[in-house]
DNA sequence: CGAATTTGACCAGCGC
DNA sequence: GCGCTGGTCAAATTCG
């Protein structure tokens, strides 16, 4: 991963933009369709679900809309192939992400290339069922190469490593990573049958940036009885309600996608800006949560909230 | 006391 | 084949 990772870390953040801006961004790419209502004829969701190229153009446009912003967030959607995303996705300039970085899942050759993913893990219901692989139980050797869950990474400016996103996570490991003084933490969704995982690590080049990589899709709704859920929802909606004033970082994206048809598997990401305020009083934001913006967000990023079991 | 986290060990894939 | 590295397990420990 070395070089790839470096590329990622050296990545220059493009100017930020709000999700709101992104969504309402008009496009000159009609081929992506226009749902008929609302200005956006090509949304981020389109981009994420269509092609890196499309995403690229969208992002480029987006970035150009808010040149004054200073920070940006990057998300990468790794789907499977190591196909580079660089040129395609974010264009060349500031937003360029090395092809490799995408391949290595933002660095993790491991999962990315299916390298260290344990056999069995992610196969079937999730880790639990396959724990035998390690101690004794040997998973079928010939088991097909594990299928990689699509991954999406977000670079978030935050002082806290583990950002609250509404779901419950259990930490199952932490490891020092090469070329970084910061350890990487591994989390797994605690909901039964949900094998979503996420890795959290801090950029060693910019300690204020947390790189969160989600893998898989939740097959359940947000735990509503969690304080975090409302907080997270508040964050989503708040960003919508006040583009430019709350957090522009959410979905700052430079999708790193390795291509593949699973673009829809994009999970989610968010930015916690001023985390204190976010968690301080969730109720304050509840109205937003239930408001139209929230619904709109759900509509655009259905997978952000949950994936229905087939 | 149960749940969550920590942490060292183990395993697998990749590059040399 | 060996070493390196990422990812995961699970016992021990800590926390609420």
């Amino acid at each position: 991963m070395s070089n790839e990772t470096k590329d990622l870390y050296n990545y220059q953040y493009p100017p930020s933009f709000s999700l709101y801006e992104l969504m309402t961004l008009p496009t000159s790419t009609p081929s992506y369709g226009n749902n008929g209502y609302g200005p956006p004829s090509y949304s981020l969701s389109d981009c994420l679900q269509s092609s890196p190229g499309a995403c690229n153009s969208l992002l480029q446009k987006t970035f150009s809309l808010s040149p004054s912003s200073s920070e940006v967030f990057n998300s990468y959607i790794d789907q499977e192939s190591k196909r580079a995303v660089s040129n395609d996705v974010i264009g060349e300039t500031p937003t360029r992400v090395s092809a490799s970085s995408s391949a290595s899942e933002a660095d993790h050759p491991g999962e990315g290339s299916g390298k260290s993913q344990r056999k069995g893990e992610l196969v079937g219901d999730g880790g639990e069922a396959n724990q035998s692989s390690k101690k004794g139980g040997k998973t079928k050797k010939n088991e097909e190469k594990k299928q990689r869950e699509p991954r999406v990474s977000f670079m978030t400016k935050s002082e806290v490593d583990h950002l609250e996103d509404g779901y419950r996570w259990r930490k199952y490991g932490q490891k020092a990573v090469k070329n970084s003084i910061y350890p990487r933490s591994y989390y797994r969704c605690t909901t039964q049958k949900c094998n979503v995982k996420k890795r959290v690590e801090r950029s060693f080049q910019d300690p204020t940036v947390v790189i969160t990589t989600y893998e898989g899709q939740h097959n359940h709704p947000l735990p509503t009885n969690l304080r975090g859920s409302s907080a997270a929802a508040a964050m989503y909606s708040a960003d919508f309600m006040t583009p430019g004033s709350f957090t522009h970082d959410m979905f700052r994206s430079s999708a790193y996608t390795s291509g593949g048809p699973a673009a829809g598997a994009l999970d989610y990401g968010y930015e916690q800006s001023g985390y204190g305020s976010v968690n301080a009083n969730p109720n304050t934001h509840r109205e937003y949560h239930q408001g139209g913006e929230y619904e709109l967000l759900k509509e655009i990023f259905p997978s952000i909230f949950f994936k229905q079991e087939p």
Side-chain angles (χ1 to χ4, degrees), chain A residues 140-247:
Chain A
K140 321 166 186 170
K141 284 186 171 134
N142 301 327
E143 198 161 346
E144 291 176 23
K145 207 166 194 177
K146 179 175 321 222
Q147 260 188 311
R148 246 197 320 134
E149 292 283 344
R151 290 187 304 279
V152 58
S153 298
F154 290 93
M155 290 178 74
T156 307
K157 220 172 173 92
S158 172
E159 293 176 37
V160 294
D161 290 335
H162 190 197
L163 303 170
E164 189 61 67
D165 59 9
Y167 288 98
R168 296 192 62 187
W169 302 93
R170 167 174 295 211
K171 187 174 185 177
Y172 66 88
Q174 176 171 305
K175 220 173 177 347
V177 292
K178 192 181 175 187
N179 294 327
S180 176
I181 58 175
Y182 302 102
R184 174 182 300 155
S185 296
Y186 299 88
Y187 298 88
R188 179 176 292 150
C189 182
T190 60
T191 302
Q192 283 192 335
K193 293 191 175 179
C194 181
N195 64 342
V196 176
K197 295 173 191 170
K198 82 170 176 181
R199 282 190 299 279
V200 177
E201 63 186 289
R202 192 168 284 281
S203 168
F204 79 96
Q205 286 214 331
D206 184 351
T208 65
V209 172
V210 173
I211 300 172
T212 304
T213 301
Y214 291 95
E215 183 173 323
Q217 286 183 280
H218 291 281
N219 53 14
H220 57 91
L222 274 166
T224 56
N225 58 335
L226 293 173
R227 61 181 172 80
S229 63
S230 57
M235 286 191 285
Y236 290 129
S237 51
D239 197 54
F240 265 123
M241 295 299 283
T242 59
S245 65
F246 192 76
T247 166

Side-chain angles (χ1 to χ4, degrees), chain A residues 1-161:
Chain A
M1 85 164 178
S2 51
N3 294 329
E4 293 83 329
T5 303
K6 279 179 184 168
D7 274 0
L8 174 65
Y9 290 132
N10 288 324
Y11 179 75
Q12 294 295 310
Y13 305 152
S16 71
F17 57 89
S18 70
L19 182 52
Y20 176 83
E21 293 170 326
L22 194 57
M23 289 175 55
T24 57
L25 187 69
T27 179
S28 58
T29 315
S31 59
Y32 286 102
N34 185 327
N35 56 15
Y37 60 99
S41 53
Y42 175 38
S43 69
L44 175 57
S45 60
D46 291 324
C47 129
L48 294 173
Q49 296 186 17
S50 54
S51 71
C55 205
N56 181 25
S57 66
L58 173 59
L59 291 170
Q60 284 184 308
K61 289 179 179 216
T62 304
F63 294 149
S64 67
L65 286 181
S66 48
S68 57
S69 310
S70 58
E71 52 186 6
V72 168
F73 173 110
N74 314 290
S75 77
Y76 307 84
I77 305 167
D78 181 10
Q79 284 151 13
E80 221 173 31
S81 73
K82 297 184 151 190
R83 185 159 9 118
V85 207
S86 56
N87 305 334
D88 219 20
V89 181
I90 308 295
E92 41 233 41
T93 42
T95 55
R96 185 172 65 71
V97 172
S98 77
S100 359
S101 70
S102 68
S104 45
E105 101 179 300
D107 42 6
H108 312 323
E111 308 186 355
S113 55
K115 161 179 179 179
S116 55
Q117 208 134 41
R118 251 190 172 62
K119 299 183 171 93
E121 198 94 342
L122 292 184
V123 172
D125 278 352
E128 269 65 32
N130 310 296
Q131 295 181 5
S132 57
S133 66
K134 174 180 177 178
K135 293 216 159 156
K138 121 181 330 190
T139 32
K140 321 166 186 170
K141 284 186 171 134
N142 301 327
E143 198 161 346
E144 291 176 23
K145 207 166 194 177
K146 179 175 321 222
Q147 260 188 311
R148 246 197 320 134
E149 292 283 344
R151 290 187 304 279
V152 58
S153 298
F154 290 93
M155 290 178 74
T156 307
K157 220 172 173 92
S158 172
E159 293 176 37
V160 294
D161 290 335

